[in-house]
Amino acid sequence: MTLAERDRKVVWHPYTQMKNALPAIGITHAAGPYLYAEHGKRYIDAVSSWWVNIHGHSHPYIAEKVSAQLKSLEHVIFAGFTHEPAVELAERLLPLLPGQQDKVFYSDNGSTAVEVALKMCIQFWGNAGKPRRKILAFRNAYHGDTFGAMSVSGRSIFTDAFAPYLFDVEFIDLPTADNIAALKAHITSLGEELACFIFEPLVLGSGGMLMYQAALLDELLECCRQQEVLLIADEVMTGFGRTGRSFATGYLDQAPDIFCLSKGLTGGTMPLGITTCTDRIYEAFFSDDKLKTLYHGHSFTANPIACTAALASLDLFVEPETQLNLYRISRQHAAFAAKLSGHTRLRDIRQTGTILALEWETGLDTSYLSGLRDRLYTWFLERGILMRPLGNIIYLMPPYIIADEDLAYIYTQIEQALAEI
Ligand SMILES: *Cc1c(COP(=O)(O)O)cnc(C)c1O
């Protein structure tokens, strides 16, 4: 039996209607931007395997560091104990973040990083004796799949089944030149009811690679600041170079109070989540009163192997070559976007740094469930390119080491698709 056949009998896949899903493609190994399948085909991983793999697959440097760590300390409980990789990662990461971040709280993935951030904000106000109940978020946001993270995400077919169990959130539209004044008035009217504002800076990922201006986000953040609303930057997707700068909040004047990081954090090697905060937040929990403790943790909090993978990924990330790659990919995306500009089959072309999104003209049927999405997905797979369209939106989010020839090949295939589909 093939991997795909064995899989079918025993595995249930994420975000997949198993009834009409195509057989899963068995991957036997991967290197650089390439995935190698059991049936012999090679795929260019144009979406960095769900946006995590920033330095390419099976990177020898990360592999070497992880393998050495495995032989000295694979894991240790993180309550009452600590270890070198966790301390060093916090020491090295905090100074890289925009503004002033002082403490790292470890967890397992992007959703848990968001849960921790929300709990920090809610309890911050409780501990201060001035409880604030409401949370502000963008209507098309995506912050993860656990219940808190779902609650602050836009309501969609992903969340429909759980709607009655999600807590109420104040949703606002993305800021535009036209609505910014109204959005600010709304925030001001909510005032001290708002505990925090959680946002994906510059690009709403799963919501459809929706992009908006840093200057407008700055205006919203400044308005929140006036009401002392805590600011949570969910950089789970945008962090570590995606938008062309190390962090998307690097484009802003205002600095967040809290950051959520995951995805690219370990270079796509291991699951790991980080929530960072300022000393001001930390100090609201620092008390002789046990009730002011942040009662949150996971079995694998700050797993040493995951922290080591993150340190190795950070070594690669800060190399000048990586910065050049970000620039190189951004420039090529921009040139390709300019070439496609005005194409009749496209409703919109958007780019921020290494992310390029093309929205297909569909007429009426734009839902995630539309047949177009599946056609595009298989069309590119047949041509050796892994993309996962979000409905009628295809996007590129490649590993930074992708070669110019591979990018050029992908662009050519996109032009071909625009002509044929
Ligand atoms: C993917 C994502 C999450 C959730 O991360 P998981 O590791 O999948 O739980 C949260 N926020 C953003 C912006 C994301 O893109």
Side-chain angles (χ1 to χ4, degrees):
M1 277 205 291
T2 63
L3 259 180
E5 287 159 353
R6 285 162 53 206
D7 174 280
R8 191 83 187 160
K9 289 192 191 304
V10 291
V11 180
W12 189 350
H13 286 266
Y15 279 104
T16 304
Q17 174 45 261
M18 297 304 291
K19 181 165 183 201
N20 44 36
L22 296 168
I25 299 169
I27 297 298
T28 54
H29 60 291
Y34 307 120
L35 305 170
Y36 297 91
E38 61 177 341
H39 48 57
K41 209 171 162 76
R42 190 188 81 173
Y43 299 96
I44 304 173
D45 189 349
V47 294
S48 301
S49 280
W50 255 343
W51 324 344
V52 301
N53 190 273
I54 58 177
H55 304 301
H57 290 275
S58 311
H59 197 289
Y61 179 75
I62 301 179
E64 188 187 306
K65 294 282 182 181
V66 164
S67 143
Q69 183 61 42
L70 262 171
K71 290 169 197 156
S72 67
L73 176 66
E74 90 303 353
H75 186 63
V76 61
I77 179 174
F78 205 62
F81 291 81
T82 192
H83 50 82
E84 176 67 29
V87 175
E88 191 187 335
L89 180 55
E91 286 171 345
R92 286 181 55 193
L93 184 62
L94 289 169
L96 296 181
L97 296 170
Q100 172 70 36
Q101 291 289 300
D102 302 299
K103 293 288 185 291
V104 161
F105 193 102
Y106 286 103
S107 65
D108 300 344
N109 56 64
S111 303
T112 56
V114 166
E115 297 288 341
V116 170
L118 296 173
K119 284 187 172 183
M120 277 180 181
C121 290
I122 293 167
Q123 196 177 345
F124 170 90
W125 290 110
N127 284 0
K130 297 179 277 189
R132 293 184 173 203
R133 288 194 52 92
K134 290 193 170 158
I135 295 173
L136 189 69
F138 285 127
R139 205 176 303 285
N140 295 302
Y142 177 78
H143 296 292
D145 282 352
T146 51
F147 271 85
M150 266 198 296
S151 294
V152 294
S153 298
R155 302 294 183 262
S156 71
I157 59 162
F158 298 160
T159 58
D160 264 0
F162 316 104
Y165 303 89
L166 303 181
F167 56 74
D168 276 341
V169 166
E170 285 291 331
F171 287 112
I172 55 172
D173 290 329
L174 282 186
T176 63
D178 291 335
N179 72 5
I180 184 79
L183 293 181
K184 290 201 292 191
H186 184 54
I187 291 170
T188 308
S189 74
L190 291 165
E192 291 179 5
E193 290 178 85
L194 290 174
C196 59
F197 174 33
I198 182 165
F199 56 94
E200 297 163 87
L202 306 198
V203 187
L204 272 57
S206 298
M209 299 300 150
L210 306 174
M211 300 178 187
Y212 64 107
Q213 284 175 26
L216 294 174
L217 178 56
D218 257 328
E219 285 198 47
L220 290 184
L221 299 186
E222 204 185 330
C223 179
C224 285
R225 276 263 176 264
Q226 282 163 10
Q227 311 297 323
E228 283 191 67
V229 178
L230 296 173
L231 306 175
I232 306 174
D234 179 352
E235 292 237 27
V236 168
M237 186 275 275
T238 50
F240 302 100
R242 263 304 155 211
T243 63
R245 294 203 182 161
S246 296
F247 297 93
T249 43
Y251 290 93
L252 303 176
D253 292 331
Q254 298 290 323
D257 300 288
I258 292 181
F259 282 83
C260 302
L261 302 168
S262 188
K263 292 209 163 105
L265 173 60
T266 64
T269 310
M270 312 269 308
L272 182 66
I274 281 183
T275 310
T276 68
C277 70
T278 57
D279 272 337
R280 174 168 172 247
I281 293 178
Y282 178 76
E283 274 153 20
F285 293 76
F286 196 79
S287 165
D288 291 322
D289 181 353
K290 273 203 154 56
L291 286 176
K292 293 194 172 172
T293 308
L294 181 59
Y295 286 112
H296 189 102
H298 299 276
S299 318
F300 284 100
T301 298
N303 173 260
I305 303 167
C307 291
T308 299
L311 282 166
S313 178
L314 208 52
D315 288 342
L316 298 173
F317 182 68
V318 297
E319 278 186 9
E321 200 185 324
T322 303
Q323 304 307 311
L324 288 174
N325 280 338
L326 298 181
Y327 180 64
R328 176 178 60 87
I329 296 169
S330 304
R331 219 180 35 212
Q332 305 215 19
H333 279 353
F336 182 56
K339 187 176 176 195
L340 291 185
S341 159
H343 198 294
T344 51
R345 301 285 294 119
L346 293 175
R347 185 179 301 168
D348 192 28
I349 306 171
R350 307 187 273 277
Q351 187 217 346
T352 304
T354 71
I355 309 168
L356 176 68
L358 307 174
E359 192 166 337
W360 234 256
E361 193 57 71
T362 53
L364 293 175
D365 183 12
T366 56
S367 80
Y368 186 80
L369 305 166
S370 79
L372 176 64
R373 186 247 166 231
D374 294 345
R375 272 183 74 197
L376 288 167
Y377 179 63
T378 34
W379 199 89
F380 285 106
L381 276 182
E382 280 162 9
R383 285 153 186 84
I385 301 166
L386 165 58
M387 281 203 244
R388 274 184 65 90
L390 297 158
N392 61 326
I393 298 156
I394 64 168
Y395 64 89
L396 297 180
M397 215 190 277
Y400 306 150
I401 46 80
I402 192 168
D404 285 349
E405 304 78 73
D406 285 332
L407 270 182
Y409 172 73
I410 296 170
Y411 295 153
T412 314
Q413 295 309 309
I414 290 175
E415 288 182 285
Q416 194 70 32
L418 282 167
E420 285 181 25
I421 297 181

